[in-house]
Amino acid sequence: MPDSSARRRAAIPGFGLTLGFTLTYLSLIVLIPLAGLFFKSAGLGWAGFWRVVTSPRALAALRLSFGAALAGAFINAIFGTLVAWVLVRYRFPARRLFDAIIDLPFALPTAVAGIALTSLYAANGWLGRFLEPHGIKVAFTPLGVVVACAFIGLPFVVRTVQPLLEEAERELEEAAASLGASRLQTVLRVLLPTVLPGVLTGFALAFARAAGEYGSIIFIAGNRPLVSEIAPLLIVIKLEEYDYAGATSVAVAMLVLSLLLLVIINGLQAWAGGRHRRAA
Amino acid sequence: MRPATSESRWVQWLLIGIALVFLLGFLLLPLIAVFTEALRSGWVAYKGAILEHDAWAAIKLTLLTAAIAVPANLLFGLAAAWAIAKFEFRGKTLLISLIDLPFSVSPVVSGLVYVLIFGRQGWAGPWLMDHDIKVLFAVPGIVLATVFVTFPFVARELIPLMQEQGTDYEQAALSLGAGGWQTFWRVTLPSVKWALLYGVLLCNARAMGEFGAVSVVSGHIRGRTDTMPLHIEILYNEYQFAGAFAVASLLALLALLTLTVKSYLEWRHGDELSATRRH
């Protein structure tokens, strides 16, 4: 039989054409330009790269971008899981509508989200006017950056947890309950381990997206150097000053940092998945 | 008595309440704010802001950019999915991750890579200047940056679906004497049409709304290289809030349309989309 399957496969035409086109297009649009970025930074030398990246302004910008992205992803992990749970397990009016608007941050252009969030959280905005009297300033502070990060990252966690909850076996919950576990124990010890890999995946995706985010943040951030200036904005500023080397250094630092953190999170995810399998 | 595998009534309503208040305040309120701010000075001002010369130029440039970028990535998505789903070859997993690569790059960095190539100090910069070809701060640069950020959308909808479908129907068509193109047009394409539309929909939404990457390569020449999102930024920074929100409301309408068609496709044609989209 292996013989006939090999012949069957060979019968479909177009392999050379489609793979050739795919590789050419991928190389021209994505791979060569990205490789160019690393070549350019290699040309700067290690010392030049290090000087730019460890300058107080660049360090502050990188810390804000990655710190706010982490905080936003944490908010997403908690509320995203809660929202996914409510959407999957409970029935209430307009559930489909709420399910559909989860993807709004994907569909709404970032500049639109940016000015909308700013107008909401500004001192005279619908939300800002209630927060500011309590001393909570959101717009034009680092907190605003966190809010924007949480906004754009929300769909990731909901959409990775939803299918896991839908497929979770009710029998396991019944078994736990019949063995005397309270509902809270069942949720924490049986259900949570099932969805944890999904939460971590969503967390990682939301984090990666938010760390590089530009459009929805720059309006609400206030963009003060050393305080509320994000790393992508610093790249833009350096480009406007024709400091290509500086811009490239910050960009490479961002790419390397996101890659590193994603590797760590992937490891965590494998650990959570493995723990779950062993426990089950 | 409640079953042992659900929560008490009041816990349920409490959780639903928290979730809905969060969604209303966090997702829906910004959307409502866009339309309220846009219409604050009335219909006449709203229409005037949209029909104003520079706004109109931005709308046309956005449509032109999407009209080039989306078909380009559609063609690529079809080719990549055909090669990956219908054949076995080494390095396939790597190829799939490379196709997703643009999603993990900051939009600003996506623009930066083209500045490094086509900019004044870039590799191709001097040559382009000698031949009087403008890529950066012109329409070609905007299109390139948009193609980069929307690169994976169609491919990632088609690849998993076509992998699930296998090659049985194509085999049958070919053995009955159909040609390669005929098989593609009559057998493969109809079986992936909804997933294709789904990918095009998301690709288009991102193409029309892209800000960071386009902002880096556009040069912000009013009426010439400003797309709608860039025009929103200019108006906003000039404190012309009504105008900024008027243009923004058009993009918000596009987002609503995208979400509506997307939900419809998931609901009506869910079994003809890739597995991750069926919920």
Side-chain angles (χ1 to χ4, degrees):
Chain A
M1 285 317 273
D3 214 286
S4 84
S5 84
R7 225 180 305 130
R8 277 179 53 188
R9 234 177 240 124
I12 292 192
F15 180 61
L17 177 71
T18 53
L19 188 67
F21 178 71
T22 301
L23 292 178
T24 313
Y25 190 79
L26 177 71
S27 306
L28 286 178
I29 300 284
V30 179
L31 298 183
I32 295 174
L34 272 180
L37 184 72
F38 282 93
F39 266 120
K40 175 87 185 171
S41 75
L44 305 174
W46 178 251
F49 169 79
W50 195 245
R51 200 175 49 244
V52 174
V53 179
T54 54
S55 72
R57 192 174 175 187
L59 273 183
L62 288 168
R63 200 179 301 134
L64 178 62
S65 271
F66 284 85
L70 268 182
F74 264 115
I75 297 174
N76 290 155
I78 293 163
F79 280 94
T81 310
L82 173 73
V83 168
W85 170 268
V86 166
L87 286 176
V88 171
R89 288 298 172 101
Y90 304 148
R91 291 294 168 267
F92 51 91
R95 191 181 61 93
R96 276 203 157 276
L97 190 72
F98 280 104
D99 190 64
I101 67 155
I102 298 291
D103 285 323
L104 183 72
F106 285 165
L108 195 67
T110 54
V112 180
I115 61 170
L117 290 173
T118 312
S119 82
L120 282 181
Y121 289 97
N124 57 355
W126 292 346
L127 295 174
R129 76 175 61 152
F130 297 110
L131 296 173
E132 298 239 329
H134 296 91
I136 307 170
K137 273 184 168 310
V138 178
F140 317 123
T141 69
L143 191 57
V145 181
V146 175
V147 168
C149 287
F151 178 83
I152 53 156
L154 181 72
F156 289 106
V157 177
V158 180
R159 293 305 186 216
T160 49
V161 173
Q162 248 177 340
L164 291 178
L165 277 176
E166 270 158 12
E167 286 154 23
E169 290 171 48
R170 290 279 182 139
E171 286 83 359
L172 283 178
E173 292 170 55
E174 281 163 19
S178 71
L179 291 172
S182 73
R183 184 60 189 155
L184 189 65
Q185 276 177 320
T186 311
V187 169
L188 290 181
R189 316 268 311 247
V190 177
L191 271 170
L192 197 63
T194 332
V195 300
L196 193 61
V199 177
L200 283 172
T201 308
F203 180 91
L205 293 170
F207 168 75
R209 170 73 203 267
E213 179 58 22
Y214 176 69
S216 46
I217 296 178
I218 55 161
F219 295 98
I220 200 170
N223 306 328
R224 274 177 300 151
L226 298 172
V227 179
S228 58
E229 181 181 69
I230 53 167
L233 179 65
L234 188 59
I235 296 177
V236 171
I237 290 172
K238 287 189 182 293
L239 273 179
E240 279 166 0
E241 294 165 350
Y242 294 102
D243 178 8
Y244 284 19
T248 309
S249 301
V250 179
V252 168
M254 279 185 69
L255 282 179
V256 171
L257 270 177
S258 344
L259 213 67
L260 210 70
L261 278 157
L262 283 182
V263 168
I264 294 173
I265 291 165
N266 265 331
L268 268 178
Q269 218 175 304
W271 170 78
R275 228 169 67 102
H276 171 54
R277 266 194 302 281
R278 274 200 302 282
Chain B
M1 221 195 106
R2 73 185 167 91
T5 53
S6 75
E7 299 74 35
S8 64
R9 216 68 199 136
W10 72 267
V11 172
Q12 290 196 13
W13 283 112
L14 180 73
L15 292 178
I16 293 175
I18 297 173
L20 295 196
V21 167
F22 175 74
L23 291 180
L24 285 173
F26 209 64
L27 293 186
L28 221 46
L29 213 51
L31 192 65
I32 297 168
V34 172
F35 292 108
T36 320
E37 296 285 337
L39 293 169
R40 178 158 283 182
S41 320
W43 267 107
V44 181
Y46 179 80
K47 257 170 60 184
I50 288 169
L51 296 175
E52 182 260 334
H53 178 265
D54 289 343
W56 193 235
I59 293 172
K60 280 195 288 194
L61 180 58
T62 295
L63 292 176
L64 173 72
T65 306
I68 302 172
V70 175
N73 284 334
L74 165 64
L75 199 64
F76 162 75
L78 277 171
W82 183 270
I84 288 171
K86 306 293 179 195
F87 302 94
E88 290 306 324
F89 55 91
R90 283 160 66 102
K92 194 191 267 192
T93 331
L94 177 69
L95 180 59
I96 295 177
S97 343
L98 286 178
I99 289 175
D100 270 343
L101 196 59
F103 277 165
S104 40
V105 176
S106 168
V108 168
V109 178
S110 316
L112 169 69
V113 295
Y114 291 111
V115 175
L116 293 181
I117 296 176
F118 299 112
R120 259 202 318 202
Q121 310 167 31
W123 296 319
W127 187 87
L128 289 171
M129 271 222 273
D130 290 345
H131 293 78
D132 206 26
I133 305 171
K134 280 197 75 99
V135 177
L136 213 59
F137 309 141
V139 177
I142 293 173
V143 172
L144 267 178
T146 306
V147 169
F148 184 103
V149 291
T150 58
F151 190 86
F153 278 103
V154 179
R156 66 169 9 205
E157 295 304 326
L158 289 183
I159 292 169
L161 180 67
M162 280 168 70
Q163 279 181 321
E164 275 174 56
Q165 287 176 343
T167 59
D168 291 352
Y169 289 109
E170 283 82 4
Q171 297 293 346
L174 290 165
S175 70
L176 290 172
W181 282 110
Q182 224 177 351
T183 307
F184 171 75
W185 281 108
R186 301 266 183 91
V187 178
T188 311
L189 206 54
S191 71
V192 299
K193 61 175 183 285
W194 297 117
L196 191 75
L197 181 60
Y198 194 97
V200 164
L201 195 69
L202 299 184
C203 184
N204 180 64
R206 181 73 193 264
M208 290 192 173
E210 178 52 28
F211 179 72
V214 172
S215 160
V216 171
V217 297
S218 119
H220 305 270
I221 308 165
R222 248 184 127 129
R224 302 240 326 264
T225 64
D226 261 343
T227 61
M228 288 165 78
L230 298 180
H231 194 60
I232 293 172
E233 185 196 19
I234 291 186
L235 293 175
Y236 193 85
N237 288 342
E238 288 172 354
Y239 301 101
Q240 300 188 39
F241 294 133
F245 278 101
V247 180
S249 72
L250 293 181
L251 288 175
L253 282 176
L254 172 75
L256 284 179
L257 181 71
T258 304
L259 285 185
T260 311
V261 179
K262 178 177 169 297
S263 303
Y264 174 79
L265 287 178
E266 281 164 5
W267 169 61
R268 199 73 187 77
H269 300 284
D271 49 349
E272 293 162 80
L273 300 177
S274 67
T276 50
R277 299 300 188 183
R278 295 167 199 152
H279 60 254

